[in-house]
Amino acid sequence: MQIVETTNEGLKRAYTVTIPARLIAERIEGEVQRMAPQTRMPGFRPGKVPANLLKKMHGPALHQEALNGSIREAVDSLISDKQLRPATQPQVNLGAGYEEGKDAELTVDVEVLPVIATPDLSGLKLEKLVVPVADAQVDEAVMRIASSAKRFEDAPEGKAAENGDQVVVDFLGKLDGVPFEGGEAQDAALELGAGRFIPGFEEQLVGVKLGDETVINVTFPEDYPAENLKGKAVTFDITVKAVKVAGETVLDDDFAKTLGLPDLDTLRNLMRGQVEQETAGLTRTAMKRSLLDQLAAGHDFEVPPSMVEAEFAQIWQQLAQEAGREEDPAAAMAEIEAEKDDYHAIAVRRVRLGLLLSEIGQANGVEISQQEMSMLVTQAAQQYRPEDRQRFAEYVQSDPMVAAQLRAPLYEEKVVDFLFDKAEVTEREVTLEDLEAAIEAEEGPAGGHVHGPDCDHDHGHGHDHAEAAPKKKASAKKKAAEVEADAPAEAEAPAAEAPGADAAPKKAPAKKKAAGPAADGETEADAAPKKKAAPKKKAAEA
């Protein structure tokens, strides 16, 4: 096999590779020898079918398989011999003039990962902003529990329903006058003003009374899970079965017992722990931003353009989706377009920091254990139907790129924890408002997805949520830390397929689908026309 380098510019490499025809022929002969003992054909004793007859019968398939195998082997040898670390899958092309029986001439284009000097971690200094949990925060958390556990009692006869009241209704949804699946329920309890149903539904029930029958008109949101209902105008036939008012909730031991707890003090301690966990998350966000800023300031190296473009494409897709949900999508998109260069710079920084974090992790033995990997697979499998979860686990095991994508976020966090341990950390007590203000003030170009270049295959995109884009005036201009579109992971030294190869990669099982108009996680029995739950905001919009 002959290899000639034709391009060596920055991180771009190109080669011509010549595979001798005899090597392809030898692979064909080897496959014929393997097939012969197993082939049965009328007129021949088992295992005695002539080789030339097998070639005649299976010639095209044998040649294509041999060619594919030869190309994969050639690309693997090229990467090994030249000690390349591909950033993305090599682009392999077979010369247009290739014919069976001739040498195969390939062109191989590949972007490589940069060589990064092992960072000096001795000068890292971080400030840990700690928020003591105040009793008032615990009281507020307990009140939220009490609010969500409201007890309703029948309203006085003839009372018109108001916001804050609960109505119990039967409803039947119709699209173009025809009932649709999942759009019917009996004795559905709905708190007016809670915003749990699609826009316009609750508002039209304000003023109804016990025994009323009415028809309301609503339009499903464009992002509704059920494809047949997205953006569709429908009607609901309503029968009011009851109007209820909220009873007074007394925060005492009896209330705690309704939640399955022994007393109010236990509830308060649980809420204190929850608040501490939330503030600890904000503290970590601030520390991680500061850490990444220090790493970014001390390192500047070339990054693979294809990785940057892939990262930018994900950021842009998420921004476009966010703009589409604004009141004026065109205006929101115009604002984003005006700062396109800023978002491209964010993509560059994310890739650079990802590669840097990976280098640090590789150099210091940071690894994902088999037990941790198993937990990641189990968690990811919950997106699929129970009967498909084992098939998903097998799919992850068979595809290193998918496995890398699952590993990457956890790998990144473990590298960050390693760096926290290495840094000189000083603590300072602040209020929650001060911590949130500090996070807001630290907004800067985003970073970093881990791109592990070596044995861990961590070329996936672990999402950094501790970074933000430049401050925006409108919610449509989302911070880059909120851009969460998943990117394909890149496997170490990906194998190339020959043109015309029909070996398709295994597909993951289909994810669970939303049933009818119900919101995610609801059963058809609860299939009220509820809106899709909005994703929780990241801590302090980070």
Short mmCIF file of all heavy atoms in Angstrom, two decimals, residues 26 50 52 71 80-81 119 159 163 190 216 235 257 352 360 416 432 461 466 533:
data_model
loop_
_atom_site.label_atom_id
_atom_site.label_comp_id
_atom_site.label_asym_id
_atom_site.label_seq_id
_atom_site.Cartn_x
_atom_site.Cartn_y
_atom_site.Cartn_z
N GLU A 26 -6.68 -10.99 -3.01
CA GLU A 26 -6.39 -11.93 -1.92
C GLU A 26 -7.54 -11.99 -0.92
O GLU A 26 -7.86 -13.06 -0.39
CB GLU A 26 -5.10 -11.52 -1.22
CG GLU A 26 -3.84 -11.80 -2.04
CD GLU A 26 -2.58 -11.21 -1.41
OE1 GLU A 26 -2.70 -10.64 -0.29
OE2 GLU A 26 -1.50 -11.31 -2.02
N PRO A 50 -16.76 -25.70 -6.83
CA PRO A 50 -15.54 -25.05 -7.35
C PRO A 50 -15.49 -23.55 -7.02
O PRO A 50 -16.51 -22.86 -7.04
CB PRO A 50 -15.65 -25.28 -8.87
CG PRO A 50 -16.56 -26.45 -9.02
CD PRO A 50 -17.53 -26.36 -7.88
N ASN A 52 -14.24 -21.13 -8.77
CA ASN A 52 -14.61 -20.24 -9.88
C ASN A 52 -16.12 -20.12 -10.01
O ASN A 52 -16.64 -19.09 -10.45
CB ASN A 52 -13.97 -20.72 -11.18
CG ASN A 52 -14.46 -22.11 -11.58
OD1 ASN A 52 -15.01 -22.83 -10.76
ND2 ASN A 52 -14.23 -22.47 -12.83
N ILE A 71 -10.52 -0.78 2.07
CA ILE A 71 -10.52 0.66 2.32
C ILE A 71 -10.48 0.94 3.82
O ILE A 71 -9.72 1.79 4.29
CB ILE A 71 -11.74 1.32 1.66
CG1 ILE A 71 -11.58 1.29 0.13
CG2 ILE A 71 -11.90 2.76 2.15
CD1 ILE A 71 -12.77 1.83 -0.63
N SER A 80 -2.88 5.09 11.83
CA SER A 80 -1.89 4.53 12.74
C SER A 80 -0.47 4.90 12.33
O SER A 80 0.33 5.35 13.15
CB SER A 80 -2.05 3.00 12.78
OG SER A 80 -1.05 2.42 13.58
N ASP A 81 -0.16 4.73 11.05
CA ASP A 81 1.21 5.00 10.58
C ASP A 81 1.60 6.46 10.74
O ASP A 81 2.74 6.78 11.09
CB ASP A 81 1.35 4.59 9.11
CG ASP A 81 1.24 3.08 8.91
OD1 ASP A 81 1.28 2.35 9.92
OD2 ASP A 81 1.07 2.64 7.76
N PRO A 119 -1.44 21.55 30.46
CA PRO A 119 -1.56 22.83 31.17
C PRO A 119 -0.92 22.80 32.55
O PRO A 119 -0.91 21.77 33.22
CB PRO A 119 -3.08 23.02 31.29
CG PRO A 119 -3.67 22.11 30.27
CD PRO A 119 -2.74 20.95 30.17
N LYS A 159 -72.18 30.06 43.09
CA LYS A 159 -70.96 30.87 42.99
C LYS A 159 -70.33 30.71 41.60
O LYS A 159 -70.18 29.61 41.08
CB LYS A 159 -69.93 30.46 44.04
CG LYS A 159 -68.64 31.30 43.98
CD LYS A 159 -67.59 30.80 44.96
CE LYS A 159 -66.36 31.72 44.97
NZ LYS A 159 -65.77 31.93 43.66
N ASN A 163 -60.42 32.89 39.35
CA ASN A 163 -59.04 32.41 39.41
C ASN A 163 -58.70 32.02 40.84
O ASN A 163 -59.00 32.76 41.79
CB ASN A 163 -58.06 33.48 38.92
CG ASN A 163 -57.97 33.51 37.41
OD1 ASN A 163 -58.18 32.50 36.74
ND2 ASN A 163 -57.64 34.67 36.85
N LEU A 190 -59.50 21.09 37.80
CA LEU A 190 -58.64 22.11 37.22
C LEU A 190 -58.67 23.37 38.07
O LEU A 190 -59.74 23.93 38.33
CB LEU A 190 -59.12 22.43 35.80
CG LEU A 190 -58.53 23.66 35.11
CD1 LEU A 190 -57.04 23.50 34.94
CD2 LEU A 190 -59.19 23.87 33.75
N ILE A 216 -65.89 25.83 24.42
CA ILE A 216 -64.79 26.80 24.36
C ILE A 216 -63.94 26.51 23.13
O ILE A 216 -63.90 25.38 22.64
CB ILE A 216 -63.92 26.78 25.64
CG1 ILE A 216 -63.23 25.42 25.80
CG2 ILE A 216 -64.75 27.10 26.86
CD1 ILE A 216 -62.26 25.40 26.99
N THR A 235 -62.30 22.68 19.48
CA THR A 235 -63.35 23.06 20.44
C THR A 235 -63.39 22.01 21.54
O THR A 235 -63.00 20.85 21.34
CB THR A 235 -64.72 23.16 19.78
OG1 THR A 235 -65.09 21.86 19.27
CG2 THR A 235 -64.72 24.17 18.64
N LYS A 257 -48.21 15.39 58.27
CA LYS A 257 -48.63 13.99 58.22
C LYS A 257 -49.39 13.68 56.93
O LYS A 257 -49.36 12.54 56.45
CB LYS A 257 -49.46 13.66 59.44
CG LYS A 257 -48.64 13.60 60.73
CD LYS A 257 -49.51 13.39 61.97
CE LYS A 257 -48.64 13.38 63.24
NZ LYS A 257 -49.45 13.25 64.47
N ARG A 352 -12.55 24.85 21.95
CA ARG A 352 -11.20 24.95 22.52
C ARG A 352 -11.19 24.50 23.98
O ARG A 352 -10.31 23.73 24.40
CB ARG A 352 -10.69 26.39 22.40
CG ARG A 352 -9.27 26.57 22.93
CD ARG A 352 -8.76 27.98 22.72
NE ARG A 352 -8.50 28.22 21.31
CZ ARG A 352 -9.08 29.20 20.60
NH1 ARG A 352 -9.95 30.02 21.19
NH2 ARG A 352 -8.79 29.36 19.33
N ILE A 360 -6.59 17.71 29.87
CA ILE A 360 -6.33 17.68 31.31
C ILE A 360 -6.79 16.34 31.89
O ILE A 360 -6.09 15.72 32.70
CB ILE A 360 -7.03 18.85 32.00
CG1 ILE A 360 -6.39 20.18 31.57
CG2 ILE A 360 -6.98 18.70 33.52
CD1 ILE A 360 -7.17 21.41 32.00
N VAL A 416 -13.77 18.85 35.84
CA VAL A 416 -13.96 20.10 36.59
C VAL A 416 -13.75 19.85 38.08
O VAL A 416 -13.09 20.65 38.76
CB VAL A 416 -15.37 20.67 36.31
CG1 VAL A 416 -15.69 21.79 37.30
CG2 VAL A 416 -15.45 21.19 34.88
N LEU A 432 -28.16 35.23 48.61
CA LEU A 432 -28.59 34.61 47.36
C LEU A 432 -28.63 35.65 46.24
O LEU A 432 -28.22 35.37 45.10
CB LEU A 432 -29.98 33.97 47.54
CG LEU A 432 -30.57 33.31 46.30
CD1 LEU A 432 -29.67 32.17 45.82
CD2 LEU A 432 -31.98 32.80 46.58
N HIS A 461 -19.97 15.56 22.99
CA HIS A 461 -20.13 16.94 23.42
C HIS A 461 -20.76 16.96 24.79
O HIS A 461 -21.96 16.93 24.94
CB HIS A 461 -20.99 17.71 22.41
CG HIS A 461 -20.35 17.77 21.08
ND1 HIS A 461 -19.79 18.90 20.56
CD2 HIS A 461 -20.13 16.83 20.14
CE1 HIS A 461 -19.30 18.67 19.36
NE2 HIS A 461 -19.50 17.41 19.10
N ALA A 466 -22.33 26.14 32.64
CA ALA A 466 -21.87 27.17 33.54
C ALA A 466 -21.38 28.40 32.80
O ALA A 466 -20.79 29.28 33.36
CB ALA A 466 -20.73 26.64 34.42
N ALA A 533 -44.91 20.82 29.27
CA ALA A 533 -44.20 21.46 30.37
C ALA A 533 -42.97 22.19 29.86
O ALA A 533 -42.17 21.64 29.10
CB ALA A 533 -43.79 20.41 31.40
#
